[in-house]
Amino acid sequence: MAAVEAPEDRIFAALASPVRREVLRLLREEGPQPVQRLAGHFDMARPSFSEHLKVLREAGLVSERKVGRQRLYRLEAVPLNEVQEWLSPFERFWREKLTGLRDLLDSMDEERHER
Amino acid sequence: MAAVEAPEDRIFAALASPVRREVLRLLREEGPQPVQRLAGHFDMARPSFSEHLKVLREAGLVSERKVGRQRLYRLEAVPLNEVQEWLSPFERFWREKLTGLRDLLDSMDEERHER
DNA sequence: GTGACAGGTAGGAAATTTCCTACCTATAGT
DNA sequence: ACTATAGGTAGGAAATTTCCTACCTGTCAC
């Protein structure tokens, strides 16, 4: 039985694959493009790639528009806002750590100059 | 054969499970705690839960410290910075969506593929 | 029309993930 | 030393994911 999953779950699951993250990056950097051009970056049979697109579609992270016999995929970044929102309460935890690390490195630097 | 995966891959993969995301939230909100207390929130056999902790450990998202016969797990938020960094180039896209600017840029991009 | 091209779905093999029960180790209390 | 507790590992079943080849549909070019 396929559990009813929150939209958030589908987004995080979609991002779990390096292939799918790369597709999103390509759409961001190069704008909307047909499947053909996206697929060129991956060493994979076309139907396999199609499946990845489906996962992204169902997570709402891309949309598709037919143009002639091509399908133009484009980034739908809005759902990524949910990831951002999940992440942000953690932010102060790593900022404190990173700051602490910088302080540590700074103090080690000082020691080198002290002798 | 298990492919050599980037640390980033392990982090995103770890976040793909709602159980593991919830564990991270609990550690963030309630501080370091033993397995027992964390496990209480999930309807799952203990060894299954142990596996989830292992995934989080191997992603570097939690650390463990022995205290008597308990093991205190604590949040290690720093690796989440990588998620933030992956995410941030996308941020302007969902912000622009609100201004309507993005749609204009996309339609200009699309023309390049239309003939 | 016929052929070629873009890209999807169908069905299945293989790998991975998720969960289980059974068992092991280490520590604490008596 | 004995028992109970905390939490891990081992091994395996079931579900899911990832990839494949084969095939179908829709559109363009002739």
Side-chain angles (χ1 to χ4, degrees):
Chain A
M1 176 143 76
V4 178
E5 57 174 14
E8 198 186 76
D9 290 352
R10 269 209 280 251
I11 295 164
F12 276 100
L15 296 183
S17 155
V19 170
R20 293 189 295 260
R21 287 199 306 278
E22 177 67 2
V23 168
L24 295 179
R25 192 191 63 76
L26 287 164
L27 291 175
R28 167 169 56 79
E29 295 200 338
E30 305 178 1
Q33 41 192 305
V35 176
Q36 207 180 15
R37 186 166 151 206
L38 286 169
H41 293 83
F42 304 93
D43 181 23
M44 177 185 301
R46 196 58 60 84
S48 308
F49 187 66
S50 239
E51 287 293 321
H52 283 294
L53 290 178
K54 188 183 200 170
V55 172
L56 287 170
R57 247 168 20 232
E58 290 177 348
L61 289 165
V62 300
S63 64
E64 170 207 38
R65 189 166 71 87
K66 293 180 67 169
V67 176
R69 58 184 142 175
Q70 311 197 119
R71 297 186 195 194
L72 230 53
Y73 273 79
R74 87 164 157 194
L75 177 65
E76 293 293 338
V78 172
L80 289 177
N81 189 34
E82 300 223 5
V83 178
Q84 174 63 63
E85 276 173 10
W86 182 85
L87 210 55
S88 63
F90 290 94
E91 199 166 331
R92 73 175 193 85
F93 285 83
W94 78 71
R95 294 247 183 272
E96 282 166 11
K97 262 291 167 71
L98 290 175
T99 301
L101 180 58
R102 191 168 57 231
D103 290 349
L104 175 62
L105 292 173
D106 285 350
S107 64
M108 288 169 73
D109 223 33
E110 283 163 20
E111 279 180 26
R112 285 194 302 124
H113 296 302
E114 267 167 23
R115 58 199 78 207
Chain B
M1 174 127 106
V4 179
E5 58 174 11
E8 197 185 81
D9 290 353
R10 269 210 278 252
I11 295 164
F12 276 100
L15 296 183
S17 154
V19 169
R20 294 190 292 259
R21 287 198 308 278
E22 176 68 2
V23 168
L24 294 178
R25 193 191 62 76
L26 287 165
L27 290 175
R28 168 169 55 79
E29 295 200 339
E30 304 178 2
Q33 40 192 306
V35 176
Q36 206 180 15
R37 185 164 150 208
L38 286 170
H41 294 84
F42 303 94
D43 181 22
M44 177 184 304
R46 196 59 59 85
S48 309
F49 187 66
S50 240
E51 287 292 322
H52 284 294
L53 290 178
K54 189 183 201 171
V55 172
L56 288 169
R57 243 165 27 230
E58 291 177 348
L61 289 165
V62 300
S63 63
E64 168 207 40
R65 187 167 70 87
K66 292 181 65 168
V67 175
R69 59 184 143 176
Q70 311 198 119
R71 298 184 195 195
L72 230 53
Y73 274 78
R74 98 164 43 225
L75 176 65
E76 293 293 338
V78 171
L80 289 178
N81 189 35
E82 300 222 6
V83 178
Q84 174 62 63
E85 275 174 9
W86 182 86
L87 209 57
S88 64
F90 290 93
E91 197 166 335
R92 75 176 191 86
F93 285 82
W94 74 72
R95 302 243 181 274
E96 278 169 11
K97 175 75 175 182
L98 299 178
T99 70
L101 178 58
R102 193 206 57 158
D103 290 330
L104 174 62
L105 293 174
D106 279 353
S107 60
M108 289 170 69
D109 263 327
E110 284 167 13
E111 287 178 14
R112 296 201 321 242
H113 301 293
E114 268 172 14
R115 60 204 77 215

